[in-house]
Amino acid sequence: TGKLDPHYPRICGHKGNVLDIKWNPFNDFVIASCSEDATVKVWNIPQHLLTKSITHAQKELLGHARRVGLIEWHPTASDILFSTGYDYKIMIWNLNTKESVIQDPVKTISFHTDVILSMSFNTDGSLLATACRDRKIRIIDPRAGTLLQEANNKSHRVNKVLFLGNMKKVVSTGTSRWNNRQIAIWDQSDLSVPLAEEDVDGLSGLLFPFYDADTHMLYVLGKGDGNIRYYEISLEKPYLNYLVEYRSPLPQKGVGTMPKRGLDVSSCEIFRFYKLIPMKNLIEPVSMIVPRRSESYQEDIYPLTAGVQPALTAQEWLNGVNKGPVLMSLRPGSVILNSLPPFPEESSPEATEPGPNPSRVAETSEKPSRIQEKWGNWKAEDRGQKDKKMGLANGFDAFECPPPKTENELLQVFYRQQEEIRRLRETLIQRDVQIRQLELEIKNVHMDTGRL
């Protein structure tokens, strides 16, 4: 935080204005960008962050005839990138190649008749929704390149479209025939008539929707507005339930969001925006927090969420395989699989990924004797019971299980070890609380003795 050095290094390899950027969901140090120079480029960000400007990209994608306005990473398959530009084409790229310059996409979808304004994937990435300047919403099978559904509703001029997780619904934002800003909910299998429509206001800025599939919350904000509206999405009518809104006098020009694994679960933070406020030259974080007094982990607002491991390789997805995202827990003490190996000791601590240090977790799980020495001596029978519990992982004896032979078995062993580490951390926290209580009692006894 703080004022940025005007000479701070940049990524400056494009020859035209950059129109869109997207971080790789499976690698915190890879970013894709597209530009008016009709190229898409993929950049490697050093783990110690930038010390000098980067001008050479890791990958350069050449295929569009005109400027490229939108890019999207596939939500479950690694190294699959979608791009679309002012040539009205959607191109699918496989980045898992040795070539640094890729000229031929693996698939080109070219039945759109105007500029594509928005793209969104369903949960497993088997369907793609698009919003086009011709005011149509389309549901596409991206691998086959076929059009499954199309909506041309004259009462709703669409600008942005977004899949609503596994609810088999799509939300769109746009304007009504009276030029009021509007939100519409659609059934993804029938786009003839919207399930629900709601007018927001009569302002002119574009509405941007953000959906949290874990809490079924829809956040809607407008370019040039200062407020953020919250809605709850339900499976039954009225489908769209207005809750409340965040108000600010400072208008935003653009907005980014923090991945779920970077949220502060101890304060019940469920979503975090980063507002770009040009009039003050700053980026302001805005946290959405559920007001609860309990300091314990809240299972209901933090279900298992999409992690940083891809469920498929690029070739598996291109061959027709569909898989949902690999889920992870946000509970403190759970192991977060890093998208890259841990930082060396001399690296900057500001670039570390949110979550526990895997090396420290491994050290904790491999050396319980040091922890026992630190937290005091146990009775013999208690120590025996604890050792017996530590040898079990979710009902399985970790010392007698045969080594895993398949990927599925390896994942099961990993999750059992993860649960065991979480239990160990909870035990340490409980003993820490007990020690603090004993210290307070000793302090009180000394004070009472001094008074006597």
Side-chain angles (χ1 to χ4, degrees), residues 37 72 88 94 105 147 163 173 189 191 228 243 259 283 285 288 308 312 330 340:
D37 61 9
E72 289 288 345
Y88 311 156
N94 181 5
L147 179 63
F163 267 105
T173 58
S189 59
L191 299 181
I228 302 174
L243 298 177
I283 296 173
M288 304 299 163
V308 294
L312 297 168
L330 298 179
L340 278 181

Side-chain angles (χ1 to χ4, degrees), residues 132-144:
C132 188
R133 191 176 285 173
D134 61 9
R135 302 178 181 178
K136 294 181 180 180
I137 300 174
R138 295 175 174 88
I139 306 293
I140 302 167
D141 182 343
R143 282 171 297 206

Side-chain angles (χ1 to χ4, degrees), residues 181 203-206 208 221-227 248-254 276:
R181 295 197 294 186
L203 300 179
S204 59
L206 290 178
F208 293 86
L221 52 94
K223 185 176 181 180
D225 298 353
N227 57 346
S248 171
L250 300 175
Q252 62 257 2
K253 185 176 182 180
L276 176 61

